[in-house]
């Protein structure tokens, strides 16, 4: 089987995670609460980070008499600003093995599908000179609905597949939701086990597991045309 397209996740796959990820993003959440003149307790801050759900975030906002939709817009803006500054300071940069992307782009159509904000994804690609390698790019829209549609939902993955006319392809990610979204969308999942995933377990078996993007050209279906 030849894979005509390769889709990538962003954070932890192409873009290095900050050493304090995900707690560093509490800064953006704290800044948003400050805009609403609120100092939340630690547990309420946690409701907006890893494993966050719309129900929990709505509950927290209601407890402080904050309109959730209004809070969300400011939260997205502050999170984008934080990440943009982190990239400018060199705290978040592409992994060294991203150099293989140029080789892959010569024989495959490449796409990027991230659960991060679309503005953050575009900023990263522009800042590090990678934009020309990807024929389609999706991050989440800065709305509550955009968050609901993130992986493991297939909304953005399927949009990218439609853009590329993908029939056979792979999705490269570093999380369970990446593997689940790939399978649900009919793609082969490639799991990259970077250092932050050394002890990570997956509920579903990916088609391939790698430790560096440099291994992608050795995968059957990709190797046949590179």
């Amino acid at each position: 089987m030849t894979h005509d397209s390769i889709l990538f996740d962003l954070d932890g796959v192409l873009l290095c995670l900050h050493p304090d990820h995900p707690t560093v993003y509490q800064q953006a959440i704290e800044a948003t609460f400050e805009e609403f003149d609120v100092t939340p307790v630690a547990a309420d801050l946690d409701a907006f980070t890893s494993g966050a759900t719309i129900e929990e975030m709505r509950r927290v906002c209601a407890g402080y008499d904050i309109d959730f939709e209004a809070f969300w817009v400011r939260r997205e803006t502050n999170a984008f600003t934080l990440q943009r500054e982190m990239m400018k300071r060199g705290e978040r940069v592409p992994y060294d093995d991203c150099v293989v992307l140029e080789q892959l782009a010569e024989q495959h159509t490449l796409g990027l599908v991230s659960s991060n904000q679309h503005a953050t994804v575009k900023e990263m690609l522009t800042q590090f000179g990678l934009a020309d390698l990807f024929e389609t790019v999706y991050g989440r829209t800065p709305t509550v609905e955009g968050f609901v549609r993130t992986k493991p939902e297939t909304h953005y993955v399927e949009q990218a597949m439609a853009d590329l006319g993908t029939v056979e392809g792979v999705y490269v990610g570093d999380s369970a939701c990446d593997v689940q979204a790939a399978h649900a969308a009919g793609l082969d999942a490639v799991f990259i086990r970077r250092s932050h995933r050394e002890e990570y377990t997956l509920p579903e078996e990916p088609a391939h597991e790698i430790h560096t993007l440099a291994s992608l050209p050795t995968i059957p279906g990709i190797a046949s045309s590179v």
Side-chain angles (χ1 to χ4, degrees):
M1 178 187 299
T2 300
H3 298 300
D4 52 6
S5 300
I6 307 173
L7 302 180
F8 294 86
D9 180 35
L10 178 67
D11 299 294
V13 176
L14 303 182
L15 188 65
C16 293
L17 297 177
H18 188 279
D20 295 329
H21 178 87
T23 56
V24 67
Y25 297 105
Q26 285 189 357
Q27 297 173 31
I29 300 161
E30 289 171 353
T32 306
F33 274 112
E34 287 176 7
E35 293 178 10
F36 288 86
D37 297 319
V38 169
T39 302
V41 298
D44 289 340
L45 284 174
D46 291 343
F48 285 83
T49 54
S50 182
T53 66
I54 293 296
E55 292 74 18
E56 268 298 286
M57 291 186 286
R58 281 191 183 279
R59 181 193 63 77
V60 170
C61 282
Y64 293 107
D65 198 26
I66 296 173
D67 179 77
F68 178 62
E69 277 69 21
F71 183 94
W72 188 262
V73 171
R74 294 305 309 152
R75 185 260 191 195
E76 290 291 88
T77 299
N78 290 332
F80 163 68
T81 300
L82 169 67
Q83 293 181 85
R84 180 183 60 193
E85 294 307 310
M86 290 167 69
M87 286 186 277
K88 287 182 177 180
R89 293 193 300 265
E91 296 173 1
R92 298 202 67 193
V93 296
Y95 288 99
D96 291 342
D97 54 12
C98 282
V99 295
V100 78
L101 294 175
E102 290 191 18
Q103 176 189 359
L104 293 169
E106 292 176 358
Q107 298 291 330
H108 299 271
T109 54
L110 306 186
L112 198 162
V113 181
S114 172
S115 293
N116 210 328
Q117 297 98 348
H118 188 73
T120 301
V121 176
K122 297 288 284 187
E123 176 73 18
M124 179 269 187
L125 293 176
T126 300
Q127 185 158 319
F128 298 113
L130 299 175
D132 290 344
L133 298 177
F134 294 92
E135 297 194 21
T136 188
V137 174
Y138 285 96
R140 73 171 186 259
T141 58
T143 62
V144 175
E145 183 181 33
F147 178 83
V148 171
R149 288 174 165 177
T150 58
K151 298 168 292 184
E153 296 299 319
T154 60
H155 176 78
Y156 293 114
V157 175
E158 290 177 343
Q159 284 193 324
M161 291 171 65
D163 290 348
L164 299 177
T166 297
V167 177
E168 303 290 350
V170 301
Y171 185 77
V172 185
D174 71 327
S175 69
C177 69
D178 293 328
V179 174
Q180 291 166 343
H183 289 167
L187 299 174
D188 279 353
V190 177
F191 178 74
I192 183 165
R193 191 175 293 279
R194 296 200 184 276
S195 59
H196 65 281
R197 293 302 198 198
E198 288 180 357
E199 305 300 324
Y200 191 76
T201 58
L202 291 168
E204 297 182 21
E205 192 74 17
H208 307 279
E209 181 172 316
I210 58 177
H211 290 82
T212 171
L213 295 178
S215 297
L216 282 173
T218 69
I219 291 177
I222 295 177
S224 63
S225 56
V226 173

